[in-house]
Amino acid sequence: MKKVGVLALQGDFEAHSRALARAGAEPVLARATSDLDRLDGLVIPGGESTTMLKLMNAEGMVQPLVVFGQKRPIFGTCAGAILLASEVTHPAQQSLGLMDLTVERNAYGRQIDSRVAHVTPEPDFAQRTQPGDLEAVFIRAPIIRRVGANAKVLVAYQGDPVLVEQGRHLVATFHPELSSDSRVHELFVSKL
Ligand code: GLN
């Protein structure tokens, strides 16, 4: 069974552990650089990207995470997507730069900052998992404003990409770990 780390510095890492187990992987909580050894992949969960960055810097984990991502798949959800991007706006902040994306934080505004939507995945997603709409839970979500030439949009919502793949990496601006449908985690596990 593939071992998938879940970065457990802050955020909703427990829900990701359960979703990974449902998708047929062995979840392992990762809190320090040495925990990255022997993992087949890593999930960076939702939470508060600014707080996660502070903790990553305090643990000296920023560079080790970049090096890990040069060899192994990383799946970032919401704050995790912000951390994987090459450019972050509103406001600008440090990121791992593992995917060629521009991400605007808290882009849905304060009034309706959380919602549950039903989205229709692109045919490529359905072919690699199972067909059917996907529940997408957005919580103070960012919007992916630009995707690089090597990125592939697997799901869009209101015209914006919400599930994007670039090579071995995957990002979602929603929270698939909060829905009972495990197709997004299955797709990630299939990339390991
Ligand atoms: N608003 C958060 C941030 O900017 C992300 C929210 C989330 O991960 N649910 O980091």
Side-chain angles (χ1 to χ4, degrees), residues 162-183:
V162 296
L163 181 69
V164 177
E165 179 179 48
Q166 184 191 310
R168 62 177 80 85
H169 305 308
L170 185 69
V171 287
T173 58
F174 59 99
H175 289 262
E177 76 284 5
L178 298 181
S179 299
S180 55
D181 186 336
S182 46
R183 280 178 292 161

Side-chain angles (χ1 to χ4, degrees), residues 9-191:
L9 298 175
Q10 189 262 343
D12 71 336
F13 48 87
E14 295 288 359
H16 271 291
S17 295
R18 290 191 292 272
L20 285 166
R22 283 202 306 272
E26 182 189 337
V28 180
L29 295 185
R31 291 198 165 90
T33 301
S34 57
D35 296 335
L36 301 176
D37 294 346
R38 293 182 303 277
L39 295 177
D40 297 299
L42 182 75
V43 171
I44 304 185
E48 201 52 52
S49 56
T50 315
T51 308
M52 260 187 254
L53 261 176
K54 268 189 202 137
L55 296 169
M56 273 178 198
N57 279 309
E59 293 292 325
M61 278 184 97
V62 174
Q63 197 51 29
L65 283 168
V66 172
V67 171
F68 181 88
Q70 284 161 353
K71 292 181 297 215
R72 304 260 186 259
I74 302 184
F75 175 27
T77 57
C78 205
I82 296 167
L83 290 167
L84 282 183
S86 51
E87 188 185 16
V88 180
T89 65
H90 193 148
Q93 73 183 16
Q94 183 192 6
S95 56
L96 302 176
L98 287 164
M99 287 177 75
D100 184 15
L101 304 172
T102 301
V103 175
E104 180 184 330
R105 296 180 60 205
N106 301 317
Y108 290 99
R110 284 208 184 141
Q111 296 304 313
I112 329 166
D113 61 3
S114 302
R115 70 183 80 176
V116 181
H118 289 88
V119 294
T120 305
E122 297 300 321
D124 191 35
F125 178 85
Q127 276 154 22
R128 288 159 67 191
T129 59
Q130 298 279 320
D133 281 6
L134 202 58
E135 179 183 84
V137 179
F138 294 95
I139 304 169
R140 301 187 64 227
I143 290 183
I144 298 172
R145 294 292 186 196
R146 182 191 61 85
V147 296
N150 296 325
K152 201 186 321 167
V153 178
L154 297 175
V155 181
Y157 169 62
Q158 294 183 341
D160 297 309
V162 296
L163 181 69
V164 177
E165 179 179 48
Q166 184 191 310
R168 62 177 80 85
H169 305 308
L170 185 69
V171 287
T173 58
F174 59 99
H175 289 262
E177 76 284 5
L178 298 181
S179 299
S180 55
D181 186 336
S182 46
R183 280 178 292 161
V184 178
H185 285 82
E186 282 163 21
L187 181 83
F188 180 62
V189 171
S190 77
K191 292 164 69 62

